[in-house]
Amino acid sequence: MPQEEPIDRGRERRAKLRQARKRQQQLLRIRLMAAGVVLALCAALIYFLSRSAPQSADPQTVQAASTASSAPLRADQQVEEQLPETVIHFAAAGDLIVCDETVNAGGASYDYSDAFLDVLPLLADADLTVLNFEGNLVGSPYGTATASAPTQMLTALKEAGVDMLQVANSRSITNGITGLTATLQAVRAAGLEPLGAYATNADFRAGKGYTIREVEGIRIALVAFTKGMDNMSLPAGSEDCVNLLYTDYDADYQDVDTSGINQVMRALAEEQPDITIALLHWGSEYNDLISDSQEEIRDLLLSQGADVIIGTHPHYVQSIEYNQDNGQLVCYSLGDFFGAADRPGTDYSIVLDLEITKDNNTGDTRVTDYSYTPICTTNDGGQHRVLRLEEAITGYEMNYVEAVTPATYEDLQYNLERILDRVQPDQE
């Protein structure tokens, strides 16, 4: 199936911009070296004139040479001169649910490269990519009963272009703090970075609850929280191991943990990042409702410096709100990136792409645009995998060799319509 042309063009455009920036820096270095040679020659001339003919030297000549040697470099001679703007792309995918269906997608050898192959352009093309990993890595047996995944699943995600995994979610402590510790170790061993959870309280204090990554000179702060952990409680002595949105996180999810959220956000603000992205595992499963407490959390985070809020957990795609004036964006739920897909509405989702622009003169950094690509999890022909919706539809209509079945084609058409309705619901 052919790759999506706009994605290819975006990748090529960003590669050309980086190449142009490198060429400009090389040119500036050459200019500076040339200027240095000229200055050295002028200095030598002054020295020669002062030694050989101090009485007859032309004062104007000496003055001109002296002026040349001390003249400041022009703006186009500065080595560190920057382009007016720096543009990067941040991609986010929804929940990867560790269950029998997703584990078995790798076959006997647990090879998941085919499962993620079609969406690789969406994940790998971005400068930084994150998704919500809802599972543990505590060894076999794998699947729904233990929520444990083979490490090969992480390897496939890394090779597909994923950089970071949110691990603050319903499965954070399914296998206890020992399981959380093993999961964090496995994620890092795979070359990925976990977000929102810590092996010990001391680790939380050292990390302060957030992560900062620099991409192309833009400092991105990421913070992840979860509403709860499937009604499980953190044991005594490990109270800070998972970033939580509620104080009653093991019961009713009504009392927003304002103090805990503020503690993390204020510590983060001291780092003075260029942009802050909050990843929230929140809301109600299989429900479109945006609760009052979600709105309270949204307003709290935005007031405390968050520029972007990206949600997971409902398993449904929900609406996106974007304020073009201040660059703030809220995506309430991305849906399931890769799950069992055994309930209506859980088999389709989106991969969100944020265009982040930094004005290198003022330092102002914001989301200047966004787009999303509809995707779906199918079990077409017994192959459990993630597909780009529109490309799969086109492949069927063009009679591609590996096209989906007629029944799946009808489902894809329906799913595409539902995604459009959910992301931008009609305003009555």
Side-chain angles (χ1 to χ4, degrees):
M1 191 173 296
Q3 293 183 351
E4 186 181 12
E5 291 185 359
I7 292 294
D8 287 338
R9 288 198 296 268
R11 184 190 301 114
E12 292 173 2
R13 178 174 62 84
R14 285 192 285 280
K16 289 179 180 178
L17 283 173
R18 293 188 183 108
Q19 291 172 359
R21 185 181 300 114
K22 290 180 180 178
R23 286 196 299 269
Q24 184 185 47
Q25 291 174 343
Q26 290 173 350
L27 180 59
L28 291 173
R29 290 189 181 96
I30 292 172
R31 288 176 175 172
L32 182 59
M33 291 175 63
V37 172
V38 171
L39 293 177
L41 291 174
C42 290
L45 176 60
I46 293 172
Y47 177 79
F48 174 77
L49 291 175
S50 64
R51 294 279 296 178
S52 61
Q55 301 301 321
S56 59
D58 185 353
Q60 293 182 348
T61 301
V62 175
Q63 181 178 2
S66 176
T67 301
S69 67
S70 60
L73 295 177
R74 298 192 311 274
D76 64 355
Q77 294 174 320
Q78 301 297 322
V79 175
E80 299 300 328
E81 182 183 22
Q82 294 176 307
L83 296 175
E85 293 180 339
T86 299
V87 179
I88 63 172
H89 283 254
F90 177 91
D95 303 75
L96 190 159
I97 310 294
V98 176
C99 57
D100 292 339
E101 291 82 356
T102 55
V103 168
N104 294 337
S109 62
Y110 302 117
D111 181 356
Y112 299 93
S113 53
D114 286 344
F116 306 131
L117 180 63
D118 193 62
V119 293
L120 187 148
L122 307 178
L123 306 176
D125 184 60
D127 296 284
L128 193 63
T129 299
V130 65
L131 62 77
N132 178 54
F133 186 80
E134 203 155 336
N136 288 175
L137 291 111
V138 294
S140 63
Y142 304 123
T144 304
T146 61
S148 181
T151 57
Q152 290 92 328
M153 187 176 287
L154 297 185
T155 302
L157 289 173
K158 177 66 176 178
E159 292 176 348
V162 176
D163 302 293
M164 314 178 90
L165 297 179
Q166 178 176 355
V167 291
N169 53 50
S170 299
R171 297 298 176 206
S172 296
I173 57 171
T174 295
N175 292 286
I177 296 299
T178 301
L180 173 60
T181 301
T183 299
L184 296 173
Q185 292 173 345
V187 169
R188 294 191 177 100
L192 300 159
E193 186 165 1
L195 301 172
Y198 302 86
T200 66
N201 286 348
D203 287 347
F204 167 79
R205 289 191 294 271
K208 300 180 181 180
Y210 57 84
T211 296
I212 293 183
R213 290 286 293 269
E214 184 169 320
V215 179
E216 295 292 312
I218 297 178
R219 299 180 73 243
I220 304 173
L222 298 110
V223 59
F225 291 89
T226 181
K227 64 178 292 185
M229 297 157 293
D230 202 22
N231 296 113
M232 299 179 70
S233 300
L234 289 165
S238 300
E239 297 88 350
D240 296 329
C241 286
V242 181
N243 287 348
L244 297 163
L245 291 172
Y246 299 91
T247 56
D248 58 343
Y249 66 89
D250 55 353
D252 300 323
Y253 314 113
Q254 294 296 318
D255 298 326
V256 175
D257 188 1
T258 303
S259 176
I261 295 172
N262 282 340
Q263 176 186 344
V264 174
M265 295 302 292
R266 287 169 181 165
L268 187 158
E270 293 179 0
E271 300 277 358
Q272 297 183 337
D274 292 310
I275 194 164
T276 298
I277 298 173
L279 307 170
L280 306 184
H281 191 253
W282 65 347
S284 300
E285 290 184 301
Y286 316 113
N287 197 315
D288 288 328
L289 175 68
I290 306 300
S291 68
D292 291 342
S293 67
Q294 280 183 273
E295 293 180 350
E296 181 182 349
I297 292 167
R298 176 201 64 199
D299 294 343
L300 173 62
L301 285 168
L302 294 177
S303 69
Q304 289 293 327
D307 301 286
V308 176
I309 294 174
I310 299 175
T312 54
H313 178 61
H315 309 297
Y316 288 172
V317 175
Q318 294 179 344
S319 62
I320 297 175
E321 299 172 353
Y322 174 54
N323 186 326
Q324 193 169 11
D325 292 335
N326 60 22
Q328 290 180 337
L329 182 143
V330 179
C331 176
Y332 287 96
S333 176
L334 295 168
D336 283 351
F337 168 72
F338 191 46
D342 56 353
R343 299 181 59 142
T346 65
D347 54 339
Y348 57 83
S349 66
I350 61 174
V351 175
L352 182 67
D353 182 278
L354 305 181
E355 178 189 83
I356 299 173
T357 303
K358 179 176 182 178
D359 185 322
N360 290 318
N361 293 318
T362 65
D364 179 62
T365 306
R366 63 179 62 200
V367 174
T368 47
D369 199 4
Y370 78 94
S371 62
Y372 61 89
T373 301
I375 63 172
C376 64
T377 299
T378 73
N379 196 29
D380 193 75
Q383 186 177 11
H384 207 71
R385 55 182 175 154
V386 189
L387 298 177
R388 291 169 292 167
L389 254 171
E390 293 174 298
E391 283 70 16
I393 290 173
T394 300
Y396 177 87
E397 294 172 345
M398 298 295 290
N399 293 315
Y400 285 5
V401 174
E402 296 184 358
V404 297
T405 63
T408 300
Y409 171 70
E410 293 181 4
D411 290 340
L412 297 181
Q413 289 182 307
Y414 173 78
N415 291 346
L416 182 58
E417 293 177 2
R418 293 299 296 132
I419 287 175
L420 298 176
D421 290 340
R422 286 178 173 277
V423 173
Q424 299 292 346
D426 294 333
Q427 301 295 324
E428 300 294 341

